[in-house]
Amino acid sequence: MKIITSKEKDFFEVISLINNAKEKALLSVNKELITLYWNVGKYVSNKIKKAEWGEGVIDNLANYITLKNPEIKGFNRRGLFRMRQFYETYRENQKLSPLVRQLSWSNHLLILSKTKSMEEKEFYIFLSIKERYSKDKQEQTKQIM
């Protein structure tokens, strides 16, 4: 049986502080990233809805982003369509739209691609938040069902 010294307890406390701060920072970054994807999806959706843009403009936008900022990833044609789908799926859902910022983008992509009804989406969003699912754990749960 190992005896924990006072100094080890102190060191453990510092490590706990570091880990808690790292987790909060990651959650904050994730929230901002999801907000960005929501806003880009909203912008694209509104432009197309108002007939200011046609569907083909998304390709042009993706190419423009790549040309002007080649270091930015995820804003290709597929990514922009997913952002639009993300926004359009949840924009009118008063229950889910405030919760979407609590999940990672990979969780959202999995939920959007594997579910059909809004009830299924709601179930997996609530379950993922409650159980703090990572994408991998969520994928395992989806395979069971």
Side-chain angles (χ1 to χ4, degrees):
M1 176 180 220
K2 184 179 178 188
I3 299 173
I4 298 174
T5 67
S6 173
K7 214 180 271 185
E8 283 179 297
K9 280 184 186 178
D10 293 343
F11 292 174
F12 180 78
E13 284 291 321
V14 171
I15 289 173
S16 292
L17 291 170
I18 293 167
N19 288 335
N20 288 338
K22 282 171 54 176
E23 186 174 329
K24 285 180 182 179
L26 287 173
L27 289 173
S28 179
V29 167
N30 180 69
K31 191 181 234 180
E32 287 302 315
L33 193 59
I34 297 300
T35 299
L36 169 63
Y37 293 162
W38 178 272
N39 290 336
V40 170
K42 179 180 181 179
Y43 189 86
V44 170
S45 178
N46 288 338
K47 286 290 191 181
I48 291 171
K49 185 178 176 183
K50 293 177 184 174
E52 293 178 32
W53 288 2
E55 292 284 339
V57 175
I58 291 178
D59 291 330
N60 296 336
L61 176 59
N63 292 335
Y64 184 82
I65 291 170
T66 301
L67 180 68
K68 295 293 183 181
N69 294 75
E71 72 282 356
I72 296 177
K73 305 295 179 214
F75 290 86
N76 55 18
R77 179 183 191 276
R78 185 175 178 187
L80 292 170
F81 271 108
R82 286 178 167 171
M83 290 173 210
R84 178 180 164 205
Q85 176 192 21
F86 173 64
Y87 169 74
E88 290 178 353
T89 299
Y90 300 116
R91 71 176 174 215
E92 293 179 2
N93 190 313
Q94 298 298 319
K95 189 190 292 186
L96 296 182
S97 59
L99 299 176
V100 297
R101 287 160 185 81
Q102 294 182 35
L103 294 179
S104 70
W105 184 241
S106 56
N107 280 26
H108 283 297
L109 294 178
L110 190 59
I111 290 170
L112 287 170
S113 68
K114 301 281 185 179
T115 59
K116 291 180 176 47
S117 70
M118 191 55 76
E119 290 78 21
E120 279 184 289
K121 288 172 181 44
E122 184 177 320
F123 172 80
Y124 283 106
I125 287 173
F126 280 115
L127 182 65
S128 298
I129 291 170
K130 179 182 175 202
E131 299 295 328
R132 301 180 78 187
Y133 277 179
S134 66
K135 179 186 173 223
D136 295 335
K137 186 161 184 173
Q138 192 175 32
E139 182 70 53
Q140 291 169 356
T141 302
K142 191 65 183 160
Q143 289 173 357
I144 293 169
M145 306 199 102

